[in-house]
Amino acid sequence: AAGVIQSPRHLIKEKRETATLKCYPIPRHDTVYWYQQGPGQDPQFLISFYEKMQSDKGSIPDRFSAQQFSDYHSELNMSSLELGDSALYFCASSLEGSYAYEQYFGPGTRLTVT
Amino acid sequence: EDKVVQSPLSLVVHEGDTVTLNCSYEVTNFRSLLWYKQEKKAPTFLFMLTSSGIEKKSGRLSSILDKKELFSILNITATQTGDSAVYLCAVGGGGSQGNLIFGKGTKLSVKP
């Protein structure tokens, strides 16, 4: 079965650079969620989109922005990167996500900021 | 403040043992409770629970939710070394429209 696809899988950036992470949800899933997981931490919700509109916002820094496109894929844009942004970034998708239906996670993008 | 608390934080057992992992929550507008298994990669979905008292079962894993006492348990019988992972409990609800509030996880280590 098709799963959530994330790219790139690994990314190394320097401080103050920008990064763009991509997420392709499971086919027919209309909701995408972004989570950040620091070393030894539980995933923290950043932002979500339902039918291309932002549906919820969590602890996403102002330096980050995201959007969902007409094909339902989503991109997380991160600017002015800081060392503390080094983490695993997960994308999850669900169907009719406004009710916290089962969320399926992608493999994650490991971002390292040096 | 919404919160999800898992216990124990870590657990070491031997193959064949049965383990019970706990998850309690205080979340407004509760919608669902989900269990995930995380090895060195993305969380893998195990169960979603929305109704009290209905056990969900998948092989050696089972889970049940008590919405009155605000907790859930995840049971693993006849544990195997492949069950070693962090088990995450997450609750959908609060002021959100779908995002999950995660517990810190229980790190399970199964020794041969």
Side-chain angles (χ1 to χ4, degrees):
Chain A
V4 177
I5 297 171
Q6 289 187 247
S7 67
R9 295 291 305 277
H10 300 273
L11 191 58
I12 300 174
K13 290 284 187 178
E14 294 187 355
K15 278 172 36 177
R16 292 179 288 278
E17 286 192 315
T18 60
T20 297
L21 310 185
K22 297 185 178 182
C23 169
Y24 297 85
I26 291 172
R28 295 189 299 111
H29 280 194
D30 50 20
T31 306
V32 168
Y33 311 81
W34 286 97
Y35 292 87
Q36 177 192 56
Q37 186 174 30
Q41 303 295 314
D42 53 291
Q44 295 294 316
F45 171 71
L46 294 178
I47 195 168
S48 63
F49 292 87
Y50 169 63
E51 283 290 344
K52 292 155 282 184
M53 298 287 290
Q54 181 181 308
S55 58
D56 203 0
K57 192 172 182 180
S59 52
I60 184 169
D62 292 339
R63 299 176 288 106
F64 295 5
S65 65
Q67 57 183 323
Q68 185 179 33
F69 296 85
S70 57
D71 63 351
Y72 295 106
H73 94 272
S74 177
E75 295 184 3
L76 177 65
N77 299 295
M78 312 160 73
S79 62
S80 302
L81 287 169
E82 302 173 356
L83 296 178
D85 297 329
S86 296
L88 198 52
Y89 290 83
F90 288 112
C91 169
S93 75
S94 71
L95 186 61
E96 296 179 34
S98 63
Y99 193 74
Y101 284 143
E102 300 165 9
Q103 292 186 22
Y104 294 89
F105 283 74
T109 293
R110 183 169 296 282
L111 172 66
T112 302
V113 181
T114 62
Chain B
E1 183 183 342
D2 295 329
K3 62 180 179 180
V4 176
V5 178
Q6 291 186 245
S7 64
L9 291 181
S10 69
L11 190 56
V12 180
V13 300
H14 287 94
E15 274 191 317
D17 288 348
T18 293
V19 298
T20 298
L21 310 183
N22 304 290
C23 175
S24 64
Y25 61 90
E26 292 179 25
V27 176
T28 55
N29 303 315
F30 171 91
R31 296 186 180 89
S32 58
L33 185 145
L34 295 85
W35 284 97
Y36 288 90
K37 176 183 181 182
Q38 185 174 29
E39 297 168 271
K40 294 179 181 178
K41 50 185 180 176
T44 303
F45 174 81
L46 295 175
F47 299 111
M48 183 175 79
L49 305 157
T50 55
S51 302
S52 273
I54 299 175
E55 184 183 53
K56 291 219 172 177
K57 196 170 173 66
S58 176
R60 296 177 293 103
L61 277 67
S62 63
S63 182
I64 197 163
L65 172 69
D66 186 327
K67 290 171 73 174
K68 181 179 178 184
E69 300 297 329
L70 308 182
F71 80 91
S72 173
I73 59 172
L74 175 68
N75 281 318
I76 308 175
T77 60
T79 52
Q80 302 171 359
T81 55
D83 296 327
S84 297
V86 174
Y87 290 83
L88 294 167
C89 172
V91 174
S96 74
Q97 289 190 16
N99 68 283
L100 299 176
I101 303 163
F102 281 85
K104 298 296 182 187
T106 293
K107 183 176 180 180
L108 174 65
S109 299
V110 181
K111 303 293 186 184

